[in-house]
């Protein structure tokens, strides 16, 4: 392991700025999100918290131009959007958000090769920050990792007071640190301190879910209409929990045309909480709110495990913290009806 | 004090359910996070003891009324109660199906302001206690004292409660909020002092952050259209892409559509995850409506909705 | 500042102001060609979203014309339009739209000359401003 003094991090960021767009947790724009480092603000070094808007926005932007088109005499001509995404380095990403990117990989890299996503993904270095102060809404430890898990980042930093301990996880991470000034070998005392910081963060987590029990109960709970109606009652069907979810990736595609027949195709975030999301000419399979709430829970805790063998939730708790009515997914998951009581009302309908 | 109120509320609600006067009750329960309150919809009197009252019950529960069937009792602060009447005026709910339980409100504590003032996350705060005009915030770093005005929600600083007469029952004694209208008017006055170009630039900047989650619309009790203009495709009023232009048009049109129904309850601004100061718009809209038409939404259930009525002579100075 | 020729979208009600525009035309009255008329059945039909849509696609100004108070073909449509447009005007001004860009007026079917005058005035007003670049990036 290596380490760097906090006052030297500015130099490191400046070095990275030569090769990358450096993103850091920032509130400068008025909302909390990953933003291009202004070269000044270093508040995030001492107080690093999850941003409200998750770093998925750096991979799946809310407005993505897919291609342009224009009308010629013998048909349409396509004009590809930017070939290669710019190289970016995301500084201070928490393990939960890094895990979320790894989860999105399964959809946009493994199940289908999405060139827009991949080009950003391949040009990104993730500099993780071990989470030192999890929020009350966090439950990452219930999902098989923890606030200091370094699996999904290229470099992991741990705050030990006046310095950061640096773990180089991937080759890309090693390369990014190589030749950096002021990066020195960590002493055993530093490593011990880092271990303590990580353990204390882990101990701060109080929220829990039991994923084995959830997996057992979910299949039968699907048809329990009254359960879902009750838990959905206070949901107002806004898009906060999905838009701010680091693993939610649903999108809508729209063409925008000018009068002369030219235009462009865009992709933007969409959300299963909206009734229009599934509206079709004949009917809407999820017109009722409880079906939409159920969909959200099942997508993360049932369909994801079936398709990819992993739960599509990292326990970051944004959906709980930012929810305007404090709808808490862990309460739902911890109170799923047990087994046989499920109603059969749903069975006739294909879903 | 709040314990007494809670007990009184629970007693009254139990009574209502036992006597079959209402089928359901919409109130507040304890949330899953520190200081959080959450909407609680109950029909079983066994759940009555889950009802709470405290200075964190910010939700305007009237948003749930059109979807809850049967006779419904609802716990309401005065600002929220105006939204209920606004719904009645607009024929979204029948007055006789709603039993409005007024709770005394001295204002809602804005956790965002608390976080900003203390430099702490709400998770690091152990206790927030409110005595008289002082709010004490205790954390591992010791206790800090603030005036109520410093931590109250903006919508509460502009509170003009007192004139509402439609409560079916009031728990305890209504007392005024420690409002500071000058402070809250300042946001609007500062805006008015700018040139049109500066104002437009201001809103352009604010709406460039909007992610179009529609929380402002969904949390709004008086945004009750079955189909919102933003989702229409033929013609398409705005693009689904969250560009600032489209975000701004969405919000401006939404505000004009709820004029005369909006009571400036502040929920849209509180719900916004990217901190767009929508209260500067709702507050101004309430002013405009009052100034032009001497109208206040949700005060009189028998008054026609603002947009469904007219006076033969009004606002002519704005017309050529 | 160089003066420019503003583009104006006018929403005219079918029964009075559109007929007024017709009369202005058949009477061969002169008025600026800056105006593009959209006929609506009643000024009460004009949703504030129409105004913003017109401005967002490049109109320099919007003119909403209806029957004089008391003369509405549907009896009260223009009264409702008056409330709506008064609010829209005040509110959009507060958001930063110059007040000259949103104009409301009454014009009857027999007032061809008034129609021509109104269009002239509004056009002159707008020429004092700069072109609408509010919605440009």
């Amino acid at each position: 392991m290596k380490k760097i003094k906090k006052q030297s991090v500015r130099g490191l960021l400046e070095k990275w700025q030569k090769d990358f767009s450096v993103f850091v947790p920032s509130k400068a724009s008025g909302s909390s999100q990953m933003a291009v480092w202004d070269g000044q603000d270093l508040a995030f070094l001492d107080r690093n918290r999850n941003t409200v808007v998750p770093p998925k926005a750096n991979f799946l932007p809310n407005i993505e131009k897919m291609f342009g088109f224009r009308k010629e005499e013998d048909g349409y001509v396509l004009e590809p959007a930017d070939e290669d995404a710019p190289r970016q380095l995301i500084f201070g990403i928490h393990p939960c958000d890094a895990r979320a990117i790894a989860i999105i990989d399964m959809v946009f890299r493994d199940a289908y090769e999405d060139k827009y996503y991949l080009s950003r993904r391949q040009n990104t270095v993730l500099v993780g920050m071990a989470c030192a102060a999890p929020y009350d809404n966090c439950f990452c430890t219930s999902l098989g990792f923890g606030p200091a898990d370094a699996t999904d980042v290229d470099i992991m930093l741990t705050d030990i007071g006046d310095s950061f301990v640096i773990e180089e996880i991937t080759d890309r991470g090693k390369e990014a640190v190589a030749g950096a000034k002021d990066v020195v070998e960590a002493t055993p005392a530093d490593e011990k301190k880092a271990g303590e910081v990580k353990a204390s963060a882990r101990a701060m987590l109080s929220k829990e879910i039991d994923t084995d029990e959830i997996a057992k109960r979910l299949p039968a709970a699907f048809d329990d209409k009254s359960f879902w109606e009750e838990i959905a009652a206070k949901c107002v069907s806004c898009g906060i929990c999905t838009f701010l979810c680091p693993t939610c990736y649903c999108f809508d595609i729209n063409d925008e045309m000018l009068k002369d027949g030219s235009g462009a195709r865009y992709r933007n975030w969409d959300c299963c909480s909206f009734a229009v999301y599934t509206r079709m000419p004949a009917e809407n399979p999820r017109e009722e709110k409880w079906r939409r709430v159920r969909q959200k829970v099942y997508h993360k805790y049932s369909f994801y495990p079936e398709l990819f063998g992993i739960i599509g939730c990292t326990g970051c708790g944004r959906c709980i913290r930012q929810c305007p009515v404090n709808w808490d997914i862990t309460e739902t998951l911890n109170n799923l009806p047990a087994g046989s009581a499920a109603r059969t009302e749903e069975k006739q309908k294909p879903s | 004090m709040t314990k007494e109120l809670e007990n009184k509320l629970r007693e009254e609600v139990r009574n209502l359910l036992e006597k079959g006067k209402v089928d359901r009750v919409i109130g507040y329960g304890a949330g899953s996070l520190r200081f959080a309150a959450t909407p609680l919809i109950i029909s079983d009197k066994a759940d009555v003891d889950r009802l709470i009252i405290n200075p964190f019950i910010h939700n305007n529960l009237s948003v749930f009324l059109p979807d809850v069937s049967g006779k419904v009792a609802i716990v309401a602060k005065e600002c929220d109660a105006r939204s209920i009447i606004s719904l009645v005026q607009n024929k979204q709910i029948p007055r006789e199906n709603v039993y409005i339980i007024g709770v005394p409100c001295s204002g809602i504590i804005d956790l965002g302001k608390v976080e900003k003032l203390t430099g702490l996350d709400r998770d690091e705060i152990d206790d927030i206690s409110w005595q008289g005009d002082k709010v004490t915030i205790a954390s591992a770093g010791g206790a800090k004292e603030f005036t109520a005005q410093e931590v109250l929600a903006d919508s509460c600083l502009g509170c003009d409660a007192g004139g509402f007469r439609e409560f079916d029952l009031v728990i305890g004694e209504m007392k005024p909020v420690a409002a500071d209208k000058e402070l809250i008017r300042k946001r609007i006055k500062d805006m008015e002092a700018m040139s049109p170009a500066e104002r437009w630039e201001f809103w352009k900047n604010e709406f460039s952050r909007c992610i179009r989650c529609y929380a402002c619309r969904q949390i709004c009790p008086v945004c009750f259209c079955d189909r919102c203009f933003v989702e229409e495709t033929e013609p398409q009023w705005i693009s689904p892409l969250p560009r600032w232009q489209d975000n701004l048009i969405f919000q401006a049109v939404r505000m004009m559509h709820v004029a005369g129904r909006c009571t400036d309850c502040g929920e849209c601004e509180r719900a916004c995850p990217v901190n767009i100061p929508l209260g500067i718009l709702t507050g101004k809209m309430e002013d405009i409506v009052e100034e032009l038409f001497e109208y206040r939404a949700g005060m009189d259930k028998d008054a026609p909705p603002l947009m469904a009525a007219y006076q033969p002579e009004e606002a002519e100075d704005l017309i050529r | 500042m160089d003066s420019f020729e503003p583009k104006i979208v006018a929403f005219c009600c079918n029964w009075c102001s559109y007929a007024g525009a017709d009369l202005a035309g058949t009477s061969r009255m002169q008025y600026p060609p800056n105006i593009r008329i959209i006929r609506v059945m009643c000024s009460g039909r004009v949703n504030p979203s129409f105004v913003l849509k017109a401005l967002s696609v490049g109109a320099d100004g919007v003119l909403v014309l209806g029957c004089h108070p008391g003369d509405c073909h549907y009896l009260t449509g223009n009264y409702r339009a008056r409330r709506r447009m008064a609010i829209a005007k005040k509110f959009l001004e507060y958001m930063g739209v110059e007040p000259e860009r949103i104009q409301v007026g009454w014009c009857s079917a027999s007032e061809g000359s008034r129609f021509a005058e109104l269009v002239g005035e509004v056009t002159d007003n707008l020429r004092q401003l700069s072109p609408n670049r509010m919605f440009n990036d």
Side-chain angles (χ1 to χ4, degrees), chain C:
Chain C
M1 188 171 48
D2 290 341
S3 122
F4 76 109
E5 286 305 326
K7 286 197 214 75
I8 304 165
V9 171
F11 295 98
C12 294
C13 85
N14 181 54
W15 305 98
C16 293
S17 29
Y18 191 81
D22 237 2
L23 182 62
T26 48
S27 312
R28 305 189 173 202
M29 289 168 185
Q30 291 284 325
Y31 61 85
N34 303 51
I35 186 166
R36 278 77 169 151
I37 296 180
I38 295 175
R39 182 169 59 158
V40 288
M41 289 309 285
C42 175
S43 54
R45 170 68 183 93
V46 181
N47 189 312
S49 57
F50 293 13
V51 176
L52 273 170
K53 181 81 182 175
L55 292 174
S56 74
V57 296
D60 296 299
V62 177
L63 175 60
V64 178
L65 292 176
C67 310
H68 285 279
D71 292 351
C72 177
H73 183 79
Y74 307 101
L75 307 179
T76 61
N78 54 355
Y79 288 131
R80 286 150 211 269
R82 187 168 61 189
R83 281 203 165 177
R84 235 165 260 157
M85 287 304 131
I87 287 173
K89 220 171 135 59
K90 284 250 176 189
F91 184 72
L92 292 176
E93 183 181 344
Y94 176 71
M95 285 193 82
V97 179
E98 289 115 324
E100 293 84 353
R101 297 206 191 272
I102 302 169
Q103 304 277 0
V104 190
W106 310 136
C107 172
S108 81
S110 61
E111 292 178 317
S113 57
R114 180 174 160 77
F115 178 86
E117 262 168 44
L118 270 175
V119 174
E121 282 173 27
V122 170
T123 311
D124 275 346
N125 278 183
L126 283 167
R127 281 200 189 109
Q128 312 302 315
L129 302 182
S130 48
N132 168 16
R133 296 204 182 88
M134 282 190 298
F135 289 89
N136 297 10
D137 265 316

Side-chain angles (χ1 to χ4, degrees), chain A residues 29 47 49 136 325-326 328, chain B residues 32 38 121 123-124 209 239:
Chain A
S29 72
R47 199 175 173 75
R49 300 288 188 271
D136 289 346
V325 297
N326 187 219
D328 189 329
Chain B
S32 72
T38 188
D121 294 318
D123 316 68
E124 297 167 300
R209 289 202 298 279
S239 162

Side-chain angles (χ1 to χ4, degrees), chain B residues 25-72:
Chain B
V25 180
I26 310 178
Y28 302 94
S32 72
L33 300 177
R34 231 172 276 200
F35 310 117
T38 188
L40 182 65
I41 303 172
I42 58 173
S43 52
D44 186 342
K45 59 180 191 292
D47 291 324
V48 163
D49 288 334
R50 293 167 65 197
L51 290 169
I52 60 158
I53 301 176
N54 65 28
F56 303 102
I57 50 170
H58 66 80
N59 286 110
N60 183 343
L61 300 176
S62 56
V63 68
F64 300 107
L65 274 177
D67 293 331
V68 177
S69 56
K71 290 220 174 208
V72 184

Side-chain angles (χ1 to χ4, degrees), chain A residues 34-250:
Chain A
M34 287 290 174
V36 175
W37 185 48
D38 60 5
Q40 298 296 322
D41 177 30
L42 290 170
F44 53 88
L45 292 184
D46 288 317
R47 199 175 173 75
N48 189 291
R49 300 288 188 271
N50 258 358
T51 51
V52 171
V53 179
K56 78 166 176 192
N58 286 56
F59 300 93
L60 298 168
N62 204 339
I63 302 177
E64 178 147 58
K65 186 174 173 182
M66 302 175 80
F67 55 82
F69 51 84
R70 75 174 190 274
K71 201 171 181 180
E72 302 267 296
E73 266 177 30
D74 47 352
Y76 282 96
V77 178
L78 298 188
E79 296 156 339
D82 308 337
E83 331 66 65
D84 271 332
R87 297 182 73 196
Q88 60 177 349
L89 181 142
I90 302 179
F91 184 92
I93 188 170
H94 281 208
C96 48
D97 288 346
R99 170 62 52 93
I101 304 300
I103 289 174
I104 296 179
D105 278 347
M106 298 176 187
V107 180
F108 286 84
R109 184 191 64 198
D110 305 342
Y112 169 77
E113 285 184 20
D114 182 85
K115 63 174 183 178
Y116 310 99
Y117 175 82
L118 283 175
S119 131
R120 289 203 170 79
R121 186 72 170 104
Q122 280 153 6
N123 283 311
T124 302
V125 174
L126 294 179
V127 180
M129 179 84 80
C131 180
Y135 286 144
D136 289 346
N137 47 258
C138 296
F139 55 105
C140 56
T141 44
S142 298
L143 288 149
F145 65 113
D149 196 302
T151 322
D152 307 301
V153 293
D154 297 302
I155 303 165
M156 184 58 131
L157 306 180
T158 308
D159 186 343
I160 55 164
D162 59 343
S163 310
F164 290 109
V165 166
I166 303 175
E167 294 164 74
E168 297 147 303
I169 310 297
T170 63
D171 291 342
R172 198 185 288 185
K174 283 196 189 92
E175 204 179 294
V177 178
K181 261 200 318 184
D182 304 320
V183 173
V184 295
E185 285 301 321
T187 65
D190 295 330
E191 288 180 26
K192 184 162 169 278
K193 187 98 186 279
E196 283 164 12
V197 169
K198 290 176 185 179
S200 97
R202 206 180 170 90
M204 282 170 78
L205 280 140
S206 56
K207 236 183 201 332
E208 274 180 337
I209 54 168
D210 180 344
T211 50
D212 293 337
E213 188 61 28
I214 291 165
K216 253 183 253 161
R217 292 189 182 194
L218 272 176
F222 191 83
D223 292 327
D224 194 338
K225 183 180 172 203
S226 60
F227 171 76
W228 293 108
E229 275 181 334
E230 200 185 324
I231 67 123
K234 68 180 177 186
C235 170
V236 295
S237 298
C238 76
I240 287 184
C241 52
T242 58
F243 281 8
L244 301 184
C245 173
T247 68
C248 271
Y249 56 77
C250 284

Side-chain angles (χ1 to χ4, degrees), chain A residues 29-33 47 49 52-53 62-63 135-137 207 233-240 243-244 252 254 256 266-269 274 276 279 289 320-322 324-328 331, chain B residues 31-34 36-39 41 58-59 63-64 67 115 119-124 209-215 217-219 226-227 231 236 239-243 267 271 273-275:
Chain A
S29 72
S31 67
S32 161
Q33 62 192 74
R47 199 175 173 75
R49 300 288 188 271
V52 171
V53 179
N62 204 339
I63 302 177
Y135 286 144
D136 289 346
N137 47 258
K207 236 183 201 332
K234 68 180 177 186
C235 170
V236 295
S237 298
C238 76
I240 287 184
F243 281 8
L244 301 184
D252 188 14
N254 287 283
E256 295 201 335
Y266 293 93
R267 185 158 77 176
N268 62 289
W269 295 352
F274 300 153
V276 287
R279 186 171 287 159
K289 184 167 68 180
I320 306 169
R321 192 182 190 83
Q322 304 300 333
V325 297
N326 187 219
W327 190 88
D328 189 329
E331 284 177 358
Chain B
S32 72
L33 300 177
R34 231 172 276 200
T38 188
I41 303 172
H58 66 80
N59 286 110
V63 68
F64 300 107
D67 293 331
E115 289 186 334
L120 299 170
D121 294 318
R122 61 196 68 177
D123 316 68
E124 297 167 300
R209 289 202 298 279
C210 172
I211 55 173
R212 215 80 83 67
C213 67
Y214 294 126
R217 180 188 73 181
Q218 296 302 112
I219 203 75
D226 284 339
R227 185 155 191 180
E231 277 136 19
Q236 187 178 51
S239 162
L241 303 173
R243 296 199 185 94
E267 277 289 87
V274 294
N275 311 322

